[in-house]
Amino acid sequence: MTDLWASVAVLCAAVLLCETLRRAGARVLAGAGWLYLLEAVSTFQLCCCTHELKLLGEMAPPEPALGLTLTYMMTVVHVLTFREATCNPAAALEKVCRGTSSLKAAARVVACQFGAAFAARFFARSVWSLGLSDSHVRHQKFGFRCFDPLGGTLLEAAGAELACAFAFQAVVMHAHRVDEKLRVHVIAGVVTAAVYAAGNLSGAVFNPVLAFSLQFPCSGHSYLEYCFVYWLGPALGMASCILLFEKILPFLSGRNAAEADRPEVRMQKMQ
């Protein structure tokens, strides 16, 4: 229980620190500078909190229900505090493809995200070196080493990341149809369900920059293999979701509508 409360304290401290930086930045910066700061700080928060949750799950795993509850609650906190930040390079590239952002702006956003993810590694190690809990002390004795995060083959893990990214993107694309007060809980519910379903296979990260911070330092596989699982898998999941809902399904519904307007179809309906 001491490990749990120490981790909760670390999570709260990380969120409070980042929220203070966001509010201070909102008063000082404007325009693109504010957006870059928002992406960097929010990505830093996401990575720091997930580092702590991952360590807690590995060193002093709580009851499954409690672990999923923590995941749900932290996702709610992230969604409520991130504002317009996406904390995902795939989202920045999506804006470029849609023509709502330039390639240079997207490159700056991605650079801010990866810089924050890299900084989160050192922040987490600095906190763990304080020895606030037995989990932190044991992890320090292992030299803060991270071991193989994959619980299946590379194809299974990549498929899990693809499926999680597909489900998350589908919810984000259709969240506007849900009552505004319920949107954050729907998103948190999907993330929690993804962690429950695919956590044992790949960790259910489905975010390239978060995976870079959490999983890439781990032993067990090469850098390219991690790129295949944690970068290509989510990218294909997001792309296939957009393709399905914005291209394939509208095309099929348009074709069906056209067929319904044919004279012979109208005559059949009248008979």
Side-chain angles (χ1 to χ4, degrees):
M1 186 59 74
T2 304
D3 290 327
L4 174 62
W5 288 116
S7 293
V8 170
V10 172
L11 295 173
C12 293
V15 172
L16 289 175
L17 172 63
C18 292
E19 184 61 18
T20 301
L21 292 174
R22 277 189 291 261
R23 296 195 177 191
R27 296 177 181 178
V28 177
L29 300 175
W34 158 242
L35 294 178
Y36 298 146
L37 176 67
L38 183 63
E39 285 288 348
V41 173
S42 299
T43 303
F44 181 81
Q45 174 181 316
L46 173 65
C47 294
C48 288
C49 292
T50 311
H51 270 292
E52 187 62 33
L53 288 176
K54 180 185 177 185
L55 179 66
L56 179 65
E58 291 176 347
M59 294 293 182
E63 293 294 327
L66 180 57
L68 293 174
T69 300
L70 285 173
T71 300
Y72 179 88
M73 293 177 62
M74 288 310 304
T75 304
V76 170
V77 171
H78 292 329
V79 175
L80 291 177
T81 58
F82 282 178
R83 298 172 177 82
E84 298 86 8
T86 61
C87 308
N88 193 325
L93 297 178
E94 179 189 352
K95 292 181 179 179
V96 174
C97 295
R98 294 182 184 277
T100 59
S101 175
S102 66
L103 185 59
K104 289 184 178 180
R108 294 190 188 102
V109 168
V110 173
C112 289
Q113 292 171 346
F114 275 96
F118 192 76
R121 291 186 194 173
F122 293 95
F123 178 84
R125 291 189 177 189
S126 299
V127 172
W128 295 334
S129 64
L130 298 176
L132 299 177
S133 68
D134 292 338
S135 297
H136 294 175
V137 173
R138 287 197 300 272
H139 194 43
Q140 187 176 12
K141 288 181 178 179
F142 283 107
F144 304 119
R145 291 185 60 190
C146 173
F147 302 98
D148 189 354
L150 304 185
T153 65
L154 288 176
L155 285 178
E156 289 174 340
E161 290 295 305
L162 187 154
C164 291
F166 182 97
F168 181 77
Q169 180 67 21
V171 170
V172 171
M173 290 175 62
H174 298 89
H176 64 279
R177 300 182 179 180
V178 182
D179 184 89
E180 186 175 357
K181 296 180 180 179
L182 299 177
R183 289 174 193 171
V184 60
H185 299 287
V186 171
I187 294 174
V190 171
V191 171
T192 305
V195 171
Y196 175 76
N200 292 332
L201 281 176
S202 64
V205 181
F206 55 95
N207 183 329
V209 74
L210 181 59
F212 173 78
S213 186
L214 263 69
Q215 312 292 51
F216 277 52
C218 299
S219 60
H221 294 277
S222 68
Y223 189 90
L224 289 178
E225 289 174 330
Y226 284 137
C227 287
F228 173 75
V229 173
Y230 293 110
W231 287 5
L232 183 60
L236 291 178
M238 175 180 283
S240 60
C241 181
I242 295 173
L243 182 64
L244 175 65
F245 286 104
E246 294 191 0
K247 298 297 182 181
I248 297 178
L249 291 182
F251 173 77
L252 294 177
S253 62
R255 183 179 61 186
N256 291 338
E259 290 179 353
D261 289 335
R262 290 167 54 188
E264 58 267 32
V265 174
R266 289 200 301 267
M267 289 297 296
Q268 290 177 0
K269 291 181 178 180
M270 294 174 60
Q271 292 177 354

